[in-house]
């Protein structure tokens, strides 16, 4: 998640505001100390303009 956040040019504070949590929660998620709930994970994926598969190291689905 940290890599995706940095690629988007976002600070932890920016991401926290975008998903409705505090900066310390983002820090804990990035450090692996806390696992986000599925609704929070969905918000993070959306805020970082990614797809869920990328967060699990899977290739994105290509639609034809």
């Amino acid at each position: 998640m940290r890599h995706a956040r940095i690629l988007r040019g976002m600070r932890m504070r920016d991401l926290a505001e975008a998903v409705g949590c505090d900066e310390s929660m983002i820090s804990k998620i990035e450090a692996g100390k806390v696992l986000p709930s599925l609704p929070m994970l969905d918000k993070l994926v959306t805020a970082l303009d990614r797809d869920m598969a990328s967060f699990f190291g899977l290739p994105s689905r290509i639609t034809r």
Side-chain angles (χ1 to χ4, degrees):
M1 189 173 84
R2 178 178 289 133
H3 181 70
R5 177 179 58 77
I6 291 169
L7 284 176
R8 296 274 302 157
M10 297 178 86
R11 299 172 298 169
M12 280 190 214
R13 181 178 314 196
D14 301 328
L15 183 55
E17 288 175 5
V19 300
C21 71
D22 48 46
E23 193 175 342
S24 67
M25 178 60 76
I26 299 298
S27 177
K28 289 174 185 174
I29 293 169
E30 287 187 357
K33 294 180 180 179
V34 172
L35 293 175
S37 65
L38 286 177
M40 177 58 73
L41 183 57
D42 185 54
K43 290 178 186 179
L44 291 165
V45 167
T46 301
L48 294 169
D49 195 28
R50 305 290 293 227
D51 58 46
M52 193 68 74
S54 71
F55 273 66
F56 294 99
L58 302 171
S60 298
R61 296 182 95 186
I62 299 173
T63 56
R64 296 179 187 206

